[in-house]
Amino acid sequence: MKRIVAALSVAAALIAVAMPAEARVRNQPAQPDFVVDDGPSLSNFFSNFGNGGGNGASPIPRQTVGFQSNYAPGTIVVNTAERRLYLVQPGGSALRYGIGVGRDGFRWGGVHRVTAKKEWPSWTPPAQMLRRRPDLPRHMEGGPDNPLGARAIYLGSTLYRIHGSNEPETIGQAVSSGCFRMTNEDVTDLYNRVAVGATVIVKN
């Protein structure tokens, strides 16, 4: 029996060596296309002043971090698993924000562009959401009680947005129907920095 096991092990090793190089590469885990360095730095030390002191502040403070990638400055990178959003800056850095993401079954990925930006947006729940939650209003005007919060950044032709929230305790949680929520303070900061047409990369 030991001889059979040993022979099978040798055969498996020979097959692995004989595999074409591209097949062996395919079986390796994909390499990340960006690397974050959030170690101590002077920019990190000062980046959080004025962020986190008041009511409604994010439980995940906004930070400037090292960000090595091939993405152009102005690109938004959403890391759903990490529950963080990065706005790529010049010089190998990014602004990192805490976000709330879609709950199980509502997370997604892809590449889109910012197609519109709105201050204090109104909200019309889509039909799919109304089927799940018939108790929701059919339309809400913008304002402090609106679930979209102070700002909304619209993503391509999708139903999804990066938007504010009056529930800062949900930042860092998986509670939405696919949108990315931020505190009103953070989404206003992002809104003021992002241009219509900017690339948005969602990594699920």
Side-chain angles (χ1 to χ4, degrees):
M1 185 61 152
K2 289 182 180 178
R3 289 180 184 173
I4 293 173
V5 171
L8 289 174
S9 299
V10 170
L14 289 173
I15 290 169
V17 170
M19 284 173 66
E22 60 271 19
R24 292 201 298 273
V25 169
R26 249 196 324 267
N27 291 333
Q28 293 175 355
Q31 296 299 309
D33 54 2
F34 62 89
V35 177
V36 177
D37 175 12
D38 57 0
S41 71
L42 200 59
S43 60
N44 284 349
F45 180 77
F46 286 108
S47 65
N48 294 324
F49 282 129
N51 176 42
N55 291 334
S58 176
I60 302 169
R62 185 166 66 242
Q63 278 189 300
T64 300
V65 297
F67 193 88
Q68 299 302 318
S69 75
N70 292 321
Y71 298 138
T75 302
I76 293 173
V77 181
V78 176
N79 189 328
T80 304
E82 190 187 3
R83 298 174 189 176
R84 298 292 188 275
L85 179 151
Y86 296 89
L87 176 62
V88 181
Q89 304 289 287
S93 68
L95 285 170
R96 181 171 66 187
Y97 304 81
I99 57 172
V101 302
R103 60 189 183 273
D104 288 346
F106 290 87
R107 289 191 281 275
W108 58 281
V111 179
H112 293 283
R113 292 194 178 274
V114 173
T115 47
K117 298 163 53 178
K118 293 185 181 177
E119 299 185 11
W120 296 107
S122 60
W123 180 50
T124 302
Q128 304 96 302
M129 185 177 288
L130 288 172
R131 283 195 291 272
R132 295 192 306 271
R133 290 282 311 278
D135 57 306
L136 291 175
R138 270 39 185 178
H139 181 79
M140 279 187 75
E141 292 299 323
D145 296 327
N146 190 301
L148 298 186
R151 303 287 186 273
I153 298 170
Y154 294 78
L155 306 181
S157 59
T158 73
L159 297 173
Y160 304 120
R161 294 160 285 239
I162 300 166
H163 64 78
S165 174
N166 50 19
E167 298 176 311
E169 68 279 2
T170 63
I171 304 305
Q173 307 297 316
V175 294
S176 81
S177 295
C179 287
F180 305 112
R181 61 174 64 181
M182 308 172 75
T183 63
N184 284 332
E185 182 178 329
D186 276 355
V187 79
T188 300
D189 182 84
L190 179 66
Y191 181 100
N192 291 336
R193 298 175 187 271
V194 170
V196 171
T199 301
V200 181
I201 299 167
V202 179
K203 307 186 75 64
N204 184 14

